[in-house]
Amino acid sequence: MILVLLGPPGAGKGTQGAKIVECCGVPKISTGEIFRDLAAAGTPLGLEARNYWSRGELVPDEVVVGLVNERISCDDCLKGFVLDGFPRTVRQADILAELLAGMVRKITGVLDFDVDPDQLVLRLSGRRTCPNCSATYHLTSRPPQVDGHCDHCGQSLVQRSDDNPESIRTRLVEYATKTEPLLAYYEERGLLHRIDANGSPDEIFRDLEPALVTMGCGS
Ligand code: AP5
């Protein structure tokens, strides 16, 4: 099962991706998370990428595809994987198709999380994340059990540096101009499943479970 999660910033790709991983037993590859980890570790590539993502701009295609190629070639991806935040441009989608063809594999399905635009800003501005284990919370819709601390590892929660009003605006424009064309791209290829992602995380996951089963989740 090779699944692509599409949707604007704050649509819930990471939240639903975590549920999919638990249910389907395949790894989730989040390019945003990889960049944040590399920047936190102070690697040259991570610091270069931070110049882009901290402003809300997409990281150049050539930087992203090299990382993804390396990650999907790992042994834990043999049974399948979930791509969260990749591809994000038509060029990345074309390169992904070529990489997979070289491995005699192909995408099983693409889930597009569709959310009311006002909700996106509310979700992003209230998000808090754990810098240690990447768990995600929300001040009102998913607060941690102990205020300001991760339920899993106890670490102090932080606000992502790109979750500020200016970067959020840029991310939404980047999505509309560079990523949204992928909806038509994958629809033409018969791979797109549109998900109404306005409900609660559990309601959304209940709605997408049947699609996951037809795509081979758990098999
Ligand atoms: P990335 O980390 O992928 O960020 P994003 O796409 O902006 O998506 P988010 O992580 O902000 O949102 P999400 O959809 O995962 O929502 P979440 O589940 O957290 O990328 C960051 C940056 O890296 C990019 O801007 C770019 O610069 C760079 N980058 C990454 N990949 C790249 C690529 N391929 N090419 C070029 N550059 C790349 O939910 C958000 C909040 O809402 C949380 O607080 C959550 O608890 C809450 N929430 C979730 N679902 C619900 C719900 N149903 N109801 C109420 N609240 C909810």
Side-chain angles (χ1 to χ4, degrees):
M1 187 182 84
I2 298 177
L3 211 56
V4 171
L5 309 185
L6 270 186
K13 303 179 294 296
T15 301
Q16 295 302 323
K19 289 176 177 289
I20 294 169
V21 163
E22 212 174 292
C23 171
C24 304
V26 292
K28 175 166 80 78
I29 301 170
S30 158
T31 39
E33 221 168 279
I34 294 174
F35 287 134
R36 285 186 289 279
D37 288 347
L38 290 174
T43 69
L45 196 146
L47 297 177
E48 187 202 336
R50 186 161 67 188
N51 289 329
Y52 296 92
W53 61 253
S54 60
R55 292 198 297 256
E57 293 166 17
L58 290 190
V59 176
D61 290 340
E62 52 278 16
V63 176
V64 190
V65 293
L67 281 176
V68 171
N69 187 20
E70 206 175 299
R71 181 63 188 88
I72 65 177
S73 307
C74 294
D75 285 351
D76 67 333
C77 292
L78 284 173
K79 251 186 77 184
F81 49 88
V82 178
L83 290 169
D84 165 6
F86 181 90
R88 259 176 152 105
T89 63
V90 169
R91 180 147 177 266
Q92 290 181 15
D94 284 338
I95 295 174
L96 174 63
E98 279 167 30
L99 290 175
L100 292 175
M103 300 171 169
V104 201
R105 308 180 81 177
K106 56 184 182 189
I107 293 173
T108 322
V110 176
L111 303 179
D112 168 44
F113 295 98
D114 189 23
V115 183
D116 177 4
D118 296 342
Q119 277 298 315
L120 296 176
V121 178
L122 288 176
R123 288 186 188 181
L124 291 172
S125 48
R127 173 166 55 190
R128 297 294 180 270
T129 54
C130 174
N132 181 44
C133 69
S134 300
T136 299
Y137 301 87
H138 190 276
L139 292 179
T140 51
S141 68
R142 194 177 183 281
Q145 281 159 16
V146 177
D147 193 28
H149 293 273
C150 179
D151 292 350
H152 305 290
C153 65
Q155 181 84 19
S156 295
L157 301 178
V158 295
Q159 184 167 28
R160 262 172 52 176
S161 63
D162 59 343
D163 279 348
N164 64 75
E166 202 177 319
S167 297
I168 290 174
R169 265 193 301 278
T170 306
R171 284 156 68 196
L172 291 170
V173 171
E174 288 279 81
Y175 174 78
T177 53
K178 297 178 181 166
T179 308
E180 216 166 49
L182 289 179
L183 301 185
Y185 179 100
Y186 284 122
E187 187 145 48
E188 277 163 23
R189 287 158 179 77
L191 290 169
L192 193 72
H193 301 259
R194 289 181 195 269
I195 311 290
D196 177 355
N198 287 296
S200 73
D202 286 343
E203 283 166 350
I204 297 161
F205 189 67
R206 258 200 313 276
D207 287 349
L208 66 85
E209 256 182 320
L212 291 178
V213 172
T214 40
M215 285 189 267
C217 172
S219 59

